[in-house]
Amino acid sequence: MADALTPERRSANMARIRAKDTKPEMLVRRLVHGLGYRYRLHRKDLPGKPDLVFGPRRKVIFVHGCFWHQHSCPAGRIPASRRSYWEPKLLRNKQRDAEQQAVLQAAGWQVLTIWECETKDRDALQNRLEVFLKNAE
């Protein structure tokens, strides 16, 4: 298997993965700003530190990577190698996301999750953002 990553190469690759300012997040931020909405980023006082926070509207947006947050698309599959490591790790991420969303909703926040794969269709994404942000509570 010539393409297999050595532990050192995998570690270096993983270290380059960002939690903030990812390409999908930046795309969503540009679209929202272009629609005329202003927001705060990664508020630490809210569960999960949402990517975009619209305080007066009581709305938040999370931009999730399909792999890390286990979306049901092909990119969200668990790797075949070291499955005993990846499966619990990725399932914990998914469980934590659900818990944080429930806490936010219980506190009166509306939550929208944008998946990385959904950013490929910009028109559909823009429509979804407009509907979410325009709707009154």
Side-chain angles (χ1 to χ4, degrees), residues 23-96:
K23 286 182 184 180
E25 182 185 333
M26 296 302 289
L27 173 65
V28 170
R29 285 162 51 177
R30 280 192 298 273
L31 287 173
V32 168
H33 191 270
L35 292 171
Y37 295 97
R38 300 303 175 255
Y39 48 85
R40 297 285 174 243
L41 297 174
H42 312 288
R43 272 189 40 189
K44 294 177 184 174
D45 61 326
L46 293 176
K49 293 187 271 183
D51 296 306
L52 286 81
V53 180
F54 305 86
R57 296 174 182 279
R58 303 284 292 177
K59 296 183 181 202
V60 298
I61 297 176
F62 287 97
V63 183
H64 284 335
C66 295
F67 173 74
W68 292 107
H69 297 271
Q70 288 297 282
H71 189 224
S72 59
C73 73
R77 75 187 195 311
I78 295 175
S81 65
R82 297 192 58 211
R83 194 169 188 85
S84 62
Y85 168 78
W86 284 110
E87 193 165 10
K89 178 180 183 64
L90 297 174
L91 292 177
R92 274 193 316 268
N93 289 351
K94 193 172 185 176
Q95 180 182 14
R96 185 180 60 241

Side-chain angles (χ1 to χ4, degrees), residues 91-107:
L91 292 177
R92 274 193 316 268
N93 289 351
K94 193 172 185 176
Q95 180 182 14
R96 185 180 60 241
D97 292 342
E99 291 168 0
Q100 291 167 344
Q101 184 171 340
V103 170
L104 284 165
Q105 288 172 334

Side-chain angles (χ1 to χ4, degrees), residues 114-128:
I114 303 289
W115 293 98
E116 179 180 11
C117 63
E118 294 173 331
T119 62
K120 308 241 185 298
D121 184 349
R122 289 185 185 193
D123 293 334
L125 177 59
Q126 183 168 338
N127 290 338
R128 190 166 171 216

